[in-house]
Amino acid sequence: MKLAGLKSVENAHDESIWAVDWVPATDRRPALLLTGALDETVRLWRPDELSREGTPLGGHCLGVVSVAAHPSGAIAASASLDSFVRVFDVDSGATIATLEAPPSEVWGMRFDPKGNTLAVAGGGSASIKLWDTSTWQLIATLHVPRPEATRPSDKSVVGKFVLSVAWSPDGKRLACGSVDGTVSIFDVARAKFLHHLEGHYMPVRSLVFSPSDSRVLFTASDDGHIHIYDSEGKSLIGAMSGHSSWVLCVDVSPDGAAVATGSSDRTVRLWDLSMRAAAQTMTNHSDQVWGVAFRPPGGAGVRSGRLASVSDDKSISLYDYS
């Protein structure tokens, strides 16, 4: 497996780019790349030449910290430091819904695999909010409980802050990562907390389930490690290290054979899961790498994999994955 640099766009936004996702292909167009930045805008990009698709999408009054595409490819969402989630039509840019939250309660977010629910990491409320995508009404709030090992007086639990969220591919489980390093697993149908996964001791800013196994969860942490968990068995089954600083983002390839990570050490790394070792290090960026995203499979004429990365340096890089 390897990455080959295809194209980079400098100054893709006016400020740091913190969020990236792929909008799946539809019958009328290929997959598009979706980015969000501290310049308060969301932008869409054609997948191979990284040319802009349409005009920048506004609507936020503070920086965009997360973007998420619906599995249909028709709609997407952006979350901002202004505590609003904006849901919009991908092709027209029209706003479909605006979801409001208290300050500091909108961070990472993801649509479930069927597209029925949007999960939003609830920041300072130590929760995940679930929104129905047909009515855009709040249907549940999943609260992250205090880890069993802590005492009520333990200062480490003060200000538990939920940063990231991920759905299992069968849609039955949700995982979220917190500032204190804990990862929490929920049964979605029962809206029930199941257990914590332990091992990290600094913020878990990104996590993702394996596309081929709903038990396997990959996590990226400021402690510099990528962990592989059996999310059902509550066990740490692997760890990979090599970045010289915080690991800010992680994504898994559609074939389930590799993960990509981005770090504040300014690099993107490709990890071979069979070897549990770094297969390649890319140095396209000159500042922290906040997001990596593999293109989903599908779409007419798609023959090869793609990986995108975004950075504080305002650039987007696109790689061929094979």
Side-chain angles (χ1 to χ4, degrees):
M1 63 185 61
K2 66 176 181 178
L3 295 175
L6 289 178
K7 188 175 180 65
S8 291
V9 176
E10 305 296 325
N11 298 309
H13 282 263
D14 295 334
E15 293 187 42
S16 299
I17 308 174
W18 276 17
V20 63
D21 197 13
W22 286 92
V23 180
T26 67
D27 293 340
R28 293 181 296 168
R29 56 153 174 79
L32 297 173
L33 191 67
L34 177 68
T35 58
L38 295 189
D39 63 8
E40 304 170 9
T41 68
V42 173
R43 293 184 175 176
L44 289 160
W45 307 84
R46 285 274 167 172
D48 292 314
E49 62 272 22
L50 278 185
S51 58
R52 285 190 198 176
E53 176 78 1
T55 58
L57 304 173
H60 290 296
C61 61
L62 287 172
V64 175
V65 297
S66 181
V67 292
H70 190 274
S72 70
I75 64 173
S78 56
S80 165
L81 293 168
D82 63 13
S83 297
F84 286 93
V85 174
R86 179 174 173 264
V87 184
F88 57 91
D89 181 285
V90 170
D91 294 314
S92 71
T95 298
I96 294 171
T98 302
L99 315 178
E100 185 176 1
S104 296
E105 291 196 13
V106 174
W107 293 88
M109 58 183 179
R110 282 287 177 262
F111 288 95
D112 79 294
K114 293 184 178 178
N116 297 325
T117 307
L118 176 65
V120 181
S125 65
S127 67
I128 303 170
K129 302 284 198 302
L130 301 182
W131 298 84
D132 184 300
T133 60
S134 59
T135 63
W136 298 111
Q137 296 298 307
L138 183 66
I139 52 174
T141 300
L142 308 179
H143 292 282
V144 177
R146 185 191 310 274
E148 293 177 5
T150 61
R151 301 180 302 277
S153 61
D154 191 334
K155 293 182 179 179
S156 70
V157 303
V158 176
K160 177 187 280 292
F161 203 99
V162 179
L163 290 169
S164 52
V165 64
W167 290 88
S168 63
D170 61 12
K172 295 180 179 180
R173 298 285 185 267
L174 263 174
C176 68
S178 300
V179 163
D180 64 2
T182 56
V183 174
S184 307
I185 306 295
F186 292 87
D187 178 317
V188 178
R190 294 188 293 159
K192 178 180 175 60
F193 168 78
L194 296 177
H195 47 255
H196 291 298
L197 303 175
E198 297 178 346
H200 289 299
Y201 56 91
M202 291 178 71
V204 176
R205 299 180 189 272
S206 181
L207 33 66
V208 62
F209 280 91
S210 167
S212 57
D213 189 337
S214 287
R215 293 177 68 113
V216 177
L217 178 71
F218 303 97
T219 60
S221 172
D222 285 9
D223 60 23
H225 303 299
I226 302 100
H227 282 177
I228 309 168
Y229 290 99
D230 177 346
S231 63
E232 299 286 327
K234 300 191 290 183
S235 57
L236 178 65
I237 56 177
M240 300 182 295
S241 305
H243 283 292
S244 61
S245 188
W246 302 351
V247 188
L248 301 174
C249 50
V250 61
D251 198 20
V252 60
S253 61
D255 61 11
V259 296
T261 55
S263 168
S264 55
D265 68 9
R266 307 178 182 182
T267 68
V268 172
R269 291 194 178 218
L270 183 71
W271 304 82
D272 183 330
L273 291 177
S274 64
M275 304 289 290
R276 297 203 179 153
Q280 202 169 358
T281 301
M282 308 300 284
T283 57
N284 297 41
H285 293 292
S286 61
D287 209 335
Q288 299 186 119
V289 180
W290 279 105
V292 289
F294 283 99
R295 182 172 64 186
V302 174
R303 295 185 182 87
S304 60
R306 292 284 185 270
L307 175 74
S309 61
V310 298
S311 167
D312 266 343
D313 66 12
K314 310 177 194 175
S315 76
I316 304 170
S317 284
L318 188 67
Y319 317 85
D320 179 82
Y321 166 71
S322 58

